[in-house]
Every structure is written in structure tokens, then in C-alpha cells.
Amino acid sequence: LKNHTSGSIIICLPSIKALARTVKKAHGPNNVLSMLHYHLHNNLAADTIHLHCDYCVGQNKNESVLGYFMWCCSTGLAIELSFMRVGRTRCAVDGYFGLIKQQWRASENDTLEDVEHAVKSSCPANTAEMFTWKWRQWDTFLEQYFGPLKGIANFQHFTMTAANMQHISCREAPDRESTLFSILRKCGASNRS
């Protein structure tokens, strides 16, 4: 979703469940990271990426997302990731998705073209981009190299850079001091029992 008014690129990793009926575990880390990987490597040309996400504590993908971003840093990318607080109030991005949902509910959406039309007709500032991506087993790959961040739900802001591949800088709030954590595993170690 690209908003032409603000110039922001918003990557909606399918929150419309009807799109994912044929995909197992549509909200799992593999689907989210496969789509995110596609966009990061095909649509964005930047050395530093700032991402704002909903906290998905119950969906068990935050650990994989942090591992993925640490892996991305090995290519020289710097990533700043901010999770909205649990129970957050609505923000401007939600308003645009609300317009899409309104249009979605008012029409029949049986094909991807119907979905594209719902997005485009929801608001003059919204556009839809049709694409395909390759599904990957990111969680299996990443767990070889990255472990969980204990107490992840206590933090809201994370910074990862190629200059400090050993640590994630974590802050509870924008005005708080950062704490460094390592999620890097010794080669071949895994949490699987």
C-alpha cells in the first residue's frame, strides 16, 4: 500500500484473512518474513530502514523477525524497529486500512483483481501493487543462528546495525536508555529438544 499524500510506503502483511485462506498458518513467521523479504529486496533502496509494527506477542513471530533483521544487517543494512504499545490507540495508518476494510465489506472479493480494486477505490491516496513471492522456511533457517530475546515484550524499540552484529540495542521507550542483548547462537546450536 503506498500513500501518495504522505509518500509513505506501508507494507501490509496480509491482515485481510480472506486472502490467506489457502495458506497454512497465514500469520506465522515464514509468511510474514517471505513477504517482507520480497519488499525489502525489490522495492526499497536504502541503507537504513525504519519500521513500525504491531506487537504480535500471541502469534509467536517476533523472535523470527528480530533474527531476520540481524541476518539482514550482515549485508550492511541498519534497521530501526519500533513496536506499537500493546493496547495502543488508533493511528493514521489504521485509518487507511479502515477505509480498505469498509470498501472490502461493501463488495464481493473473489479474486486478487477484486482485492486490488477494493484497495484502489477505498481512497484516492491508496494504491495496490500486485506481486508474487517465494515462500521460504525462515524460522528453520534463522533458529540455527539466532535465539530468543528474553523479555522481548518489555521493549518497544530495537536497533540493529552491521557495525554491531553481536547485539540488538533495545529500549523500553524512545526516551529511555538502551540495553544491549545478544541473540546470536553458537554455530549449529538450537532450542529444539
Side-chain angles (χ1 to χ4, degrees):
L1 170 64
K2 183 170 183 177
N3 183 282
H4 293 293
T5 306
S6 67
S8 297
I9 295 174
I10 302 163
I11 301 170
C12 172
L13 303 177
S15 59
I16 303 172
K17 292 179 183 176
L19 291 177
R21 285 185 186 141
T22 60
V23 180
K24 292 180 181 177
K25 295 183 182 178
H27 290 285
N30 294 324
N31 296 27
V32 169
L33 293 176
S34 291
M35 290 181 270
L36 186 59
H37 184 76
Y38 173 88
H39 285 289
L40 289 179
H41 294 278
N42 292 299
N43 295 331
L44 301 175
D47 294 335
T48 302
I49 296 174
H50 304 270
L51 295 162
H52 299 270
C53 307
D54 283 342
Y55 238 124
C56 304
V57 179
Q59 295 177 17
N60 204 20
K61 65 182 154 212
N62 294 333
E63 292 172 7
S64 295
V65 169
L66 288 179
Y68 172 77
F69 288 137
M70 289 293 285
W71 178 76
C72 285
C73 287
S74 67
T75 66
L77 204 57
I79 297 169
E80 293 182 17
L81 176 65
S82 295
F83 287 107
M84 295 181 194
R85 291 195 170 140
V86 175
R88 67 180 167 75
T89 57
R90 298 280 180 196
C91 66
V93 172
D94 288 333
Y96 288 109
F97 287 119
L99 293 171
I100 293 170
K101 283 183 183 179
Q102 244 180 349
Q103 183 64 34
W104 178 270
R105 290 183 188 126
S107 54
E108 289 197 27
N109 300 291
D110 298 321
T111 66
L112 287 175
E113 288 75 19
D114 293 338
V115 174
E116 180 181 28
H117 177 73
V119 171
K120 286 180 178 178
S121 61
S122 66
C123 172
N126 290 341
T127 60
E129 185 180 323
M130 304 299 283
F131 57 89
T132 58
W133 53 81
K134 182 178 180 179
W135 296 107
R136 296 189 167 127
Q137 295 299 314
W138 286 104
D139 57 352
T140 304
F141 168 72
L142 293 167
E143 75 178 6
Q144 298 173 73
Y145 307 103
F146 304 101
L149 175 63
K150 291 186 180 5
I152 189 173
N154 296 324
F155 299 101
Q156 190 178 351
H157 302 281
F158 304 86
T159 304
M160 294 148 274
T161 65
N164 190 356
M165 284 290 301
Q166 298 291 318
H167 297 97
I168 297 175
S169 173
C170 306
R171 288 179 289 149
E172 292 176 6
D175 58 347
R176 297 278 174 95
E177 292 231 2
S178 62
T179 306
L180 295 178
F181 291 94
S182 178
I183 62 169
L184 198 58
R185 292 186 190 275
K186 292 181 181 179
C187 275
S190 175
N191 275 346
R192 289 191 175 185
S193 42

